[in-house]
Amino acid sequence: IAKSLDAAGSAPSLAEPQPAPLLNRAVDWPAQLQPAFLASNGESLAALSRAHRGATLPVAHAGAAEAFILQGIEELGELVGASWGHEALMLVTASGAVAECPGFHSGGMWRCRQVGAKLSFGNLKAAAVARVAGTVQLRAAVVLDDDDSILLLESSEHGAEWLPAGEVHAPMALGQAPHLSMSASAEELVVSTADGAVTRRAIVGEDAPKRLAAPPPHMAAAATTWHGACALGGGGRVARLAT
């Protein structure tokens, strides 16, 4: 992994060409849902609030949002990040706990359980966790309060502890830490910032960081609050949450 990372604290050069502007899609979210994060398994898109609520939408066609409540993580704290793998939704909470929600929600509930060791930093601002493809190993990316780096970690063989795997520059915008989302294979990281920009960077391999969405024009950005983003399968497609 270390071969693919830039030096800590240095801003990466972004691969060209620059992306086209995002297309808008208005969504009527369920009552009481204040979405902050997006995650996708390629077929469905999940919007999640910090308060353990969420809704899913189909990626391929228009449809109504289906609401759900995350069950089994009530004592773990508010969410700070989410990623959706091939078999489960992966969550990280402010306490550093990692939770896995297999399958799909049913009857308005999505059952989750805590897995692995806690990310015991105490000052998490953003995080993403996914299972390494073909293994039970976990890979994590975290941003700490007052830090301009993204720390990369991997779980030990039995999941009892987290081991350092590298460090990359964390882009800041408007004084806010970025949102993080990891690909289903845990090989790529999607980094989104408060100015509307979205960048994909390889965790495995040596591909240069690539901008997937550019910040909008200044006048449009002034009336918009940008939240989390995620990849929509392959092809460089991305979903970005704004209110």
Side-chain angles (χ1 to χ4, degrees):
I1 292 177
K3 287 183 65 178
S4 69
L5 306 181
D6 57 90
S10 62
S13 58
L14 299 181
E16 299 293 340
Q18 292 296 302
L22 291 177
L23 301 177
N24 293 329
R25 177 179 174 184
V27 176
D28 292 325
W29 299 114
Q32 300 182 318
L33 178 62
Q34 296 180 318
F37 311 104
L38 290 180
S40 176
N41 64 357
E43 297 179 357
S44 297
L45 181 69
L48 299 133
S49 75
R50 297 184 183 274
H52 303 178
R53 293 180 177 271
T56 52
L57 291 165
V59 170
H61 56 86
E66 297 182 6
F68 61 85
I69 296 174
L70 297 167
Q71 192 175 49
I73 59 171
E74 294 81 3
E75 306 300 322
L76 300 182
E78 68 176 21
L79 299 186
V80 296
S83 299
W84 199 347
H86 297 300
E87 298 181 357
L89 182 69
M90 302 295 298
L91 309 172
V92 186
T93 71
S95 68
V98 178
E100 189 170 41
C101 313
F104 203 70
H105 58 84
S106 177
M109 297 290 178
W110 201 334
R111 296 184 181 275
C112 309
R113 62 185 179 92
Q114 188 174 352
V115 295
K118 274 192 172 184
L119 294 160
S120 301
F121 292 101
N123 55 346
L124 283 178
K125 293 295 291 183
V129 170
R131 289 201 180 274
V132 178
T135 76
V136 297
Q137 186 180 26
L138 297 172
R139 183 171 288 155
V142 303
V143 177
L144 307 180
D145 195 16
D146 296 325
D147 194 351
D148 62 356
S149 296
I150 300 173
L151 304 179
L152 300 173
L153 306 107
E154 290 192 350
S155 65
S156 60
E157 183 178 354
H158 301 292
E161 61 179 333
W162 288 99
L163 305 174
E167 191 172 344
V168 297
H169 173 72
M172 300 286 176
L174 307 179
Q176 299 179 37
H179 286 272
L180 306 177
S181 180
M182 205 171 285
S183 66
S185 63
E187 295 182 348
E188 293 182 338
L189 187 65
V190 173
V191 183
S192 53
T193 49
D195 60 357
V198 182
T199 302
R200 180 184 66 203
R201 45 183 326 147
I203 299 176
V204 177
E206 301 183 10
D207 292 344
K210 181 178 180 180
R211 176 149 300 171
L212 301 180
H218 177 71
M219 292 300 294
T224 302
T225 300
W226 296 93
H227 305 284
C230 68
L232 292 174
R237 296 187 304 155
V238 64
R240 184 74 160 105
L241 179 63
T243 56

